[in-house]
Amino acid sequence: MVPPPEIAFTQLLFGGIAIMLLAAGSVLVFLVTYQKRLLQQQLHLRAAEALHQQELLQAIIEAQEGERERIGQDLHDGIGATIATVKLLVNRLSSLADQPPPPDLLALIEELTASAVHDVRSISHSLYPAMLGRYGLAEAVQRLVNVYNEAGTLPIQLELEYARPLGLPQELALYRICQELIHNALKHATGATRLQVRLKQHGVGVTLVVEDDGCGFPDEKSAPLITGSGLRSIDVRVQMLKARLERQSAPGQGTRMVIELENPV
């Protein structure tokens, strides 16, 4: 027996409604599941970002402590020892009573005093380069190279193409990186005869290169052990600048460190 048209239509209507409700339910379940997954991903990204920020903060603290330790050693081993020697020589002068002071002794005291003054200026400049705030990064790097060249440890060649200054925080970070790279090269580049420093702008980017012809790193794994906290300090500042650090080195072929800062704001 064929059902009346009204009943068939009603069955068809309810069937369509059921299908629509089922589809709507499926869409709702999909949206809820998608939102949960999206929320989980966001929470995971936030947790990873928080962990990265915590690690970066810890690295900054370690780098600062390493720099303070190095400054403390410079004060103790350098200036402290020099002043102690001067004190002994002055005591020797006082023991001469009415005798005229030996010229060679006075010359030695003058030389040691001048050395202590030079060391104080170098350390104060390393704490905060006043020239950076006054004249910018190019002049500060030029002054840094001049100070190292005065020491006569290893001749440093400097190339500057830096006409458009960046913000002071960025310039200070680049200056500290350059300072640490030069310090590491002078300390670890055994057998080096030259050290080149290049600071150049290209478009809206900045490139800093410090290159020597010394012994180079024995291998990739031992490089952090050689540079110690210095490399950690560089890595931290590179991350803060959102820049890129590239190290090129091989045994007996020197080391080339390149920092590229693109689109600085």
Side-chain angles (χ1 to χ4, degrees):
M1 180 177 179
V2 180
E6 294 83 359
I7 297 177
F9 176 76
T10 302
Q11 292 176 345
L12 183 61
L13 178 62
F14 279 111
I17 293 174
I19 293 174
M20 292 177 62
L21 290 175
L22 182 61
S26 300
V27 171
L28 182 60
V29 170
F30 171 78
L31 290 176
V32 171
T33 304
Y34 175 77
Q35 289 293 335
K36 286 183 178 180
R37 290 181 179 177
L38 184 62
L39 180 60
Q40 290 176 352
Q41 290 179 353
Q42 290 177 347
L43 292 175
H44 179 72
L45 290 175
R46 290 178 182 176
E49 183 178 358
L51 179 61
H52 174 72
Q53 292 296 330
Q54 183 178 359
E55 292 176 348
L56 181 60
L57 178 60
Q58 181 65 28
I60 292 173
I61 294 174
E62 291 177 359
Q64 290 176 341
E65 291 301 322
E67 291 174 350
R68 290 170 182 170
E69 180 181 358
R70 190 176 71 189
I71 291 172
Q73 290 178 350
D74 291 341
L75 288 171
H76 179 271
D77 300 337
I79 298 175
T82 301
I83 293 177
T85 304
V86 170
K87 182 180 178 181
L88 291 175
L89 295 176
V90 171
N91 291 337
R92 181 181 173 186
L93 280 177
S94 62
S95 66
L96 295 176
D98 296 334
Q99 300 179 15
D104 57 342
L105 185 59
L106 292 176
L108 181 57
I109 292 175
E110 182 179 358
E111 180 184 351
L112 290 174
T113 304
S115 175
V117 171
H118 179 270
D119 290 342
V120 169
R121 289 177 177 174
S122 298
I123 292 176
S124 64
H125 183 75
S126 67
L127 287 172
Y128 182 78
M131 187 167 290
L132 178 67
R134 294 178 183 176
Y135 304 108
L137 179 61
E139 291 293 333
V141 171
Q142 180 70 69
R143 169 61 179 166
L144 178 67
V145 170
N146 291 341
V147 169
Y148 279 116
N149 279 333
E150 286 177 4
T153 306
L154 179 66
I156 304 176
Q157 302 173 359
L158 176 62
E159 297 181 18
L160 288 174
E161 293 182 11
Y162 186 82
R164 298 181 302 279
L166 304 178
L168 182 58
Q170 292 173 310
E171 289 199 337
L172 181 58
L174 283 171
Y175 176 85
R176 293 301 188 197
I177 292 172
C178 182
Q179 183 182 36
E180 192 65 47
L181 289 175
I182 293 176
H183 175 79
N184 282 347
L186 294 176
K187 185 177 181 181
H188 299 295
T190 305
T193 60
R194 63 174 178 83
L195 178 60
Q196 293 183 331
V197 178
R198 294 190 293 274
L199 177 65
K200 296 186 177 182
Q201 286 181 321
H202 45 88
V204 294
V206 178
T207 299
L208 172 65
V209 180
V210 178
E211 182 178 6
D212 66 75
D213 62 347
C215 58
F217 290 129
D219 53 61
E220 192 73 13
K221 293 182 179 179
S222 63
L225 299 178
I226 295 175
T227 54
S229 61
L231 183 62
R232 183 66 167 168
S233 173
I234 294 171
D235 286 338
V236 168
R237 290 190 167 97
V238 168
Q239 291 182 52
M240 292 172 61
L241 286 170
K242 297 181 180 179
R244 185 173 66 90
L245 170 63
E246 179 182 358
R247 181 178 63 242
Q248 301 171 0
S249 183
Q253 299 182 18
T255 302
R256 187 171 186 263
M257 305 290 283
V258 182
I259 289 86
E260 293 185 344
L261 176 59
E262 300 290 344
N263 301 320
V265 292

